[in-house]
Amino acid sequence: MSKIFHPLLALIASSTDRELAKYVEFLKHENRILRSRLPKQVHTTADERRTLLRYGKVIGRAIEELVSIVSPATFKRWIREEKSGRTKTKNSKGGRRKPRELRELVIEIALKTGFGYTRIIGELRKLGIKKISRQTVRNILKEEGIKPGPDRTSDSWSDFLKRHGETLWGCDFFSVKSVTTKGIRDLYVMVFLCLQTREAIVTESTEHPNSTWVCEQTQKFIEQSRGRDAKPTMIIHDRDGKYTKEFTKTLQQSGIQTNPLPKASPNLNGRCERFIETIKLECLAKFIIFGKQHLDHLVSGFTSYYNTCRSHTARDHLPPIRELPDEVVVLSRDEIQVVSHVGGLVKSFEQKAA
């Protein structure tokens, strides 16, 4: 009888071992995925180390392939320390978390100033706070996901745009094919765009975008924006050859600075580029342009619609030069009318005049 059951028991045991091996293999891959989502270094507590030792020592040398939360050498060091009775104790002078108020102060200084941890230490010293080290400040910043290095003080492009607000404008050119008596010609248009409000001012077109034409259109832009509260103070533009010294001088005479953008960086003037794409796709691409007057008429009509009627996500879905009414207005269908723009190409819904 024993000869019959012995192979059967061996088969059952081997089958169980194979199933366990599959379980272990799955858990190893799952643990590897989970570890990839965690920081490279995971700090364990004393209780956690004791738990790992209790279940890891009985595995033997196989622990070298299984352990992933620490290196095999660290795990062996834990075993040696346990056998010798020595445990790693923290320095009584350090290792304790700083008070919450101090941690919040460090984070506030970092976020509001952009300083690195060395300059944050200087701010704390001026406040009379001495019992905090550079490494502690660095650790606090890293725990909050704030880059501790001093290069955070470098200005970002988004911060630059926010700081200048409504007084910062972008400038760019675009061309359109036009059918004329002399054949197909390129007509050039100059665009000025407020980078915060998205208001657009578009010039008359020309076949010859020379320096004289650029200066004339720039002067018209200055005159058109002169009477407003937030007058332009800076114009950003690419390094197109049409931006001559006369162009810069024309702006400087009205107290407006120019800021040429780095080469091959169209994204820095992306909002102006986006307006050009909008007027081309939503308007000009739907017409055959017949000469300068036709193009100027279409551009003027669409620009007026864009500034007063076309909603923009950056403006909380309001047009560039329209503000939300102070009071919530409830209108009936009879009080709403459909207004056509650019010869009926685009439409908007407006409240009927009283």
Side-chain angles (χ1 to χ4, degrees):
M1 183 66 69
S2 62
K3 293 181 179 181
I4 297 176
F5 283 105
H6 185 270
L8 180 61
L9 292 174
L11 177 64
I12 294 173
S14 62
S15 176
T16 304
D17 289 341
R18 285 196 296 270
E19 293 297 325
L20 288 175
K22 293 178 181 178
Y23 298 158
V24 171
E25 191 67 21
F26 171 79
L27 292 174
K28 285 172 62 178
H29 288 287
E30 182 186 45
N31 185 50
R32 188 178 297 112
I33 294 172
L34 294 175
R35 286 284 293 119
S36 66
R37 307 290 178 87
L38 296 175
K40 293 183 179 180
Q41 186 176 10
V42 178
H43 299 281
T44 57
T45 64
D47 292 336
E48 290 169 343
R49 288 195 290 272
R50 283 193 291 269
T51 300
L52 292 174
L53 285 171
R54 181 167 67 251
Y55 293 102
K57 287 189 297 184
V58 297
I59 298 177
R61 299 192 62 177
I63 192 64
E64 296 182 2
E65 298 182 4
L66 294 177
V67 67
S68 61
I69 194 170
V70 295
S71 65
T74 299
F75 189 84
K76 292 178 181 179
R77 176 170 57 79
W78 289 352
I79 295 176
R80 292 195 302 270
E81 291 176 351
E82 185 184 44
K83 289 180 179 180
S84 63
R86 293 185 292 105
T87 57
K88 188 176 180 180
T89 58
K90 293 184 179 180
N91 188 348
S92 59
K93 294 183 179 180
R96 294 170 293 185
R97 294 181 67 83
K98 296 298 179 183
R100 180 182 298 274
E101 294 79 5
L102 181 55
R103 295 176 62 85
E104 292 176 351
L105 177 60
V106 170
I107 295 168
E108 183 179 2
I109 294 174
L111 294 177
K112 290 188 175 181
T113 64
F115 290 165
Y117 56 91
T118 300
R119 294 190 65 182
I120 292 176
I121 285 289
E123 296 297 316
L124 295 175
R125 294 292 186 268
K126 290 191 297 183
L127 297 173
I129 301 173
K130 298 181 179 180
K131 294 184 178 181
I132 185 170
S133 65
R134 286 160 46 95
Q135 186 61 42
T136 300
V137 173
R138 182 183 178 90
N139 291 341
I140 292 173
L141 297 180
K142 290 180 67 175
E143 290 173 5
E144 295 296 323
I146 302 173
K147 192 174 181 180
D151 57 338
R152 290 189 302 110
T153 58
S154 60
D155 199 10
S156 67
W157 186 244
S158 59
D159 291 338
F160 176 81
L161 297 180
K162 292 177 182 178
R163 185 166 61 252
H164 288 276
E166 295 182 346
T167 64
L168 178 63
W169 290 67
C171 180
D172 206 351
F173 299 95
F174 71 91
S175 62
V176 180
K177 297 291 184 182
S178 173
V179 179
T180 69
T181 56
K182 298 179 182 180
I184 298 178
R185 294 290 187 268
D186 285 326
L187 292 176
Y188 294 85
V189 181
M190 194 172 183
V191 176
F192 294 89
L193 185 84
C194 180
L195 300 190
Q196 178 168 315
T197 66
R198 303 303 201 275
E199 178 186 357
I201 296 178
V202 187
T203 70
E204 297 180 1
S205 60
T206 184
E207 288 187 32
H208 308 288
N210 52 30
S211 178
T212 301
W213 174 81
V214 170
C215 292
E216 289 176 355
Q217 306 311 312
T218 303
Q219 189 61 47
K220 291 180 181 179
F221 160 73
I222 294 171
E223 293 174 358
Q224 189 170 345
S225 59
R226 191 187 303 276
R228 61 186 65 200
D229 294 334
K231 294 185 294 185
T233 60
M234 181 175 291
I235 300 290
I236 63 172
H237 58 83
D238 57 27
R239 296 181 180 271
D240 193 307
K242 293 186 283 293
Y243 297 113
T244 60
K245 294 180 179 179
E246 290 75 16
F247 164 77
T248 302
K249 184 177 180 180
T250 301
L251 290 171
Q252 289 178 346
Q253 289 174 350
S254 298
I256 302 175
Q257 298 179 356
T258 59
N259 184 9
L261 300 174
K263 295 181 180 180
S265 57
N267 290 339
L268 296 184
N269 202 13
R271 296 176 185 179
C272 202
E273 297 277 0
R274 185 63 180 87
F275 169 79
I276 294 174
E277 181 183 12
T278 298
I279 193 172
K280 284 187 173 182
L281 292 178
E282 297 185 10
C283 178
L284 301 180
K286 302 180 185 299
F287 291 91
I288 299 176
I289 309 299
F290 293 97
K292 176 182 183 305
Q293 291 184 351
H294 188 203
L295 176 60
D296 291 344
H297 174 73
L298 294 176
V299 168
S300 176
F302 185 84
T303 303
S304 177
Y305 158 76
Y306 181 91
N307 287 334
T308 59
C309 300
R310 191 183 187 279
S311 61
H312 201 296
T313 54
R315 292 271 298 150
D316 195 19
H317 301 284
L318 289 172
I321 57 175
R322 181 183 294 188
E323 300 295 336
L324 189 67
D326 295 333
E327 298 180 0
V328 178
V329 180
V330 180
L331 301 175
S332 64
R333 184 61 186 84
D334 296 335
E335 297 177 285
I336 301 174
Q337 63 179 347
V338 181
V339 180
S340 297
H341 306 269
V342 198
L345 176 65
V346 288
K347 298 178 175 64
S348 64
F349 288 79
E350 305 290 341
Q351 182 180 358
K352 291 182 179 179

